[in-house]
Amino acid sequence: MPYVKIEVTREGVTREQKQKLIAGVTDLITEVLDKDPKLTHVVIQEIELDDWGYAGEQVSVLREKGITANKQ
C-alpha cells in the first residue's frame, strides 16, 4: 500500500490542482512500481508561510522580497 505525502506552502493551491497532483502521483506509482491504484494513498498537506523556511528565512519573508517558486 503506497503512501505519498506532498507538502506545499498554503498559497492558493486549488481543488483542481490538488486533484491533478493526486491523479498524477497515483498514475506514476502504478506505472513505475506496478501498484494497484485503489491501494495508493496520496495526502496533500498545506503549510503556513510562516511555518516553512529555507535559506535561513521564513517563506513569508521571502515572498515579501518577491522570491517565489514560480517558473519565470
Side-chain angles (χ1 to χ4, degrees), residues 45-64:
Q45 182 177 5
E46 293 182 285
I47 310 295
E48 294 293 338
L49 298 180
D50 285 344
D51 297 334
W52 192 310
Y54 65 94
E57 295 196 67
Q58 291 169 297
V59 172
S60 56
V61 173
L62 295 168
R63 294 298 183 264
E64 290 169 2

Side-chain angles (χ1 to χ4, degrees), residues 1-70:
M1 172 177 74
Y3 169 84
V4 178
K5 181 178 181 181
I6 301 171
E7 293 181 329
V8 296
T9 52
R10 183 167 288 156
E11 296 183 85
V13 179
T14 66
R15 183 178 191 180
E16 292 77 19
Q17 289 171 320
K18 290 177 185 178
Q19 178 55 43
K20 286 181 181 181
L21 284 171
I22 292 167
V25 168
T26 300
D27 290 345
L28 183 63
I29 294 291
T30 300
E31 177 185 330
V32 173
L33 300 179
D34 196 32
K35 297 294 183 179
D36 184 346
K38 293 179 182 146
L39 300 177
T40 299
H41 298 256
V42 179
V43 175
I44 299 172
Q45 182 177 5
E46 293 182 285
I47 310 295
E48 294 293 338
L49 298 180
D50 285 344
D51 297 334
W52 192 310
Y54 65 94
E57 295 196 67
Q58 291 169 297
V59 172
S60 56
V61 173
L62 295 168
R63 294 298 183 264
E64 290 169 2
K65 294 179 179 181
I67 300 169
T68 71
N70 294 336

